Amino acid sequence: MEPLPAADIADLLEQISSAQRRDLLHLWSGEIDGEILSEIDESIREEVIENLPRKVLTDAVRELDTDDVVDILEDLEEPQQEIILGALEIADRVAVEQAMSYPENSAGRLMQRETVAAPEHWTVGEAIDYLRSAEVLPDQFYHVILVDPRMHPVGNVTLGRILSAKSETRMRDIAEEMFRTIRATEQESEVAYLFNQYHLISAPVVDGSDRLVGVITIDDAMNVLDEEHEEDILRLAGVGEGSLSDSWIETAKQRFPWLFVNLLTAILASGVISLFEGTIEKIVAVAVLIQTLVIGLTTDARWDARWNPQGARRSANGWGPVLVVIFALFMGVGSLTGGLAYVLQRFFGGLG
């Protein structure tokens, strides 16, 4: 499975049964890395972690950014959390524990602690020298965050502007016009809205004193947006928050109340339709009217382009279709008016 991307390997682990997953991890556990672990669905992630050797789990977790580690820890029981925290280096463990101290579903848990910041008075040349000499940089970042002496974020500079500017250019002179900071206590849903509304790529996160504590990137914000959309669709369908590991009995229990309500409303609707069956048959003429209008008012050129593209003879219908449309219009309006009058008469007559 080595040529497969991490997301595809995670999908494979999610689709097979629990027994097959356990056997596969026993044979192939040495190839599980941090990227695969972060891609696995949260409903089976704990099971996968339990079946991984301690060394494999340790190596996989150390590859992850702090936001991915926090995302994994949120879905685990305390014993598994301690195993993962114990595998981290001291600095990373402190950062993860600080992130876990923020409220659930907040920006503090969504952010990554690894940031690239520079003093606002630096030049482009100084920033490039710093980036080249830094021992550790995030694997992916989009902006250099400008900060004042108190570590307050004051602007963002994209990597593209840094590379295209002259070395003596001040960093603050090429900062982006659109700049927003996010409170660490802000709700994830509000963060996703800000990214979507203002087309943000990344945004610095600040604490109660407006000091820089992390950064949120667009991939994390879009994950939140996708999860919210999925939850909304599931609620509309009456499915609830099911998971891949749920048995068919549990799934049936979740769906039965909503399906039962749908059955009752369908029975009620069929009863109402049966009471006004005759009226509905008359109103069907409205559908015929609309279709006739569309066909009759279609120009000859458009008609030939759609229905007679290969024909040697071009259409030339003249006034015939127009007269048909006028006749259909009178018939449709009459049927509609009569149908509505009949329904209103029956309704108010029944009330009387």
Side-chain angles (χ1 to χ4, degrees), residues 14-276:
E14 294 165 8
Q15 297 302 322
I16 60 180
S17 65
S18 179
Q20 292 172 327
R21 190 160 44 242
R22 185 168 53 253
D23 293 339
L24 179 59
L25 291 173
H26 177 72
L27 296 172
W28 197 70
S29 60
E31 303 299 327
I32 297 293
D33 58 16
E35 189 176 2
I36 296 174
L37 202 59
S38 64
E39 292 285 350
I40 294 174
D41 189 87
E42 59 187 31
S43 62
I44 66 168
R45 187 181 289 156
E46 185 173 359
E47 176 191 341
V48 171
I49 290 176
E50 289 176 352
N51 286 283
L52 288 178
R54 180 68 63 88
K55 185 179 184 308
V56 174
L57 179 60
T58 300
D59 294 340
V61 171
R62 285 177 176 172
E63 297 176 1
L64 296 173
D65 292 330
T66 53
D67 59 328
D68 293 323
V69 177
V70 171
D71 183 53
I72 292 175
L73 289 178
E74 287 179 327
D75 305 316
L76 299 179
E77 300 294 335
E78 187 172 349
Q80 282 77 23
Q81 289 184 354
E82 289 300 325
I83 292 174
I84 291 180
L85 289 174
L88 299 174
E89 297 179 359
I90 295 178
D92 291 334
R93 175 168 183 159
V94 171
V96 170
E97 288 177 341
Q98 288 178 348
M100 292 292 290
S101 67
Y102 289 105
E104 190 173 356
N105 298 325
S106 65
R109 293 205 179 187
L110 187 65
M111 69 180 181
Q112 66 180 51
R113 301 289 297 223
E114 298 85 0
T115 62
V116 181
E120 61 177 328
H121 60 80
W122 270 12
T123 63
V124 169
E126 290 174 317
I128 292 177
D129 290 340
Y130 164 73
L131 294 175
R132 287 174 176 170
S133 61
E135 294 182 1
V136 179
L137 288 174
D139 291 336
Q140 293 183 351
F141 65 98
Y142 309 98
H143 294 103
V144 173
I145 304 171
L146 302 182
V147 294
D148 64 14
R150 294 175 295 177
M151 285 300 292
H152 295 167
V154 295
N156 269 342
V157 182
T158 64
L159 296 180
R161 291 189 179 184
I162 293 176
L163 294 176
S164 61
K166 295 181 179 180
S167 59
E168 63 272 14
T169 305
R170 295 288 179 183
M171 291 283 284
R172 59 171 169 257
D173 294 336
I174 58 174
E176 287 189 318
E177 295 181 2
M178 173 56 68
F179 175 72
R180 298 184 68 92
T181 59
I182 296 174
R183 291 279 182 179
T185 53
E186 198 86 58
Q187 286 293 310
E188 287 183 348
S189 57
E190 183 63 23
V191 173
Y193 169 78
L194 291 175
F195 270 76
N196 189 48
Q197 178 72 11
Y198 299 107
H199 309 290
L200 302 178
I201 301 298
S202 68
V205 181
V206 297
D207 60 13
S209 302
D210 290 333
R211 292 171 56 88
L212 178 67
V213 293
V215 63
I216 295 177
T217 54
I218 188 171
D219 56 330
D220 296 320
M222 292 304 100
N223 285 338
V224 173
L225 202 60
D226 289 341
E227 290 173 2
E228 290 190 345
H229 288 167
E230 182 179 356
E231 290 175 3
D232 292 341
I233 292 173
L234 290 176
R235 290 193 185 101
L236 288 173
V239 176
E241 297 183 0
S243 67
L244 294 171
S245 59
D246 290 345
S247 65
W248 70 269
I249 297 177
E250 294 173 337
T251 303
K253 288 180 180 179
Q254 293 175 354
R255 299 188 182 190
F256 178 77
W258 182 250
L259 293 176
F260 183 71
V261 171
N262 282 341
L263 177 62
L264 292 180
T265 56
I267 293 173
L268 178 62
S270 63
V272 172
I273 290 173
S274 64
L275 292 176
F276 299 97

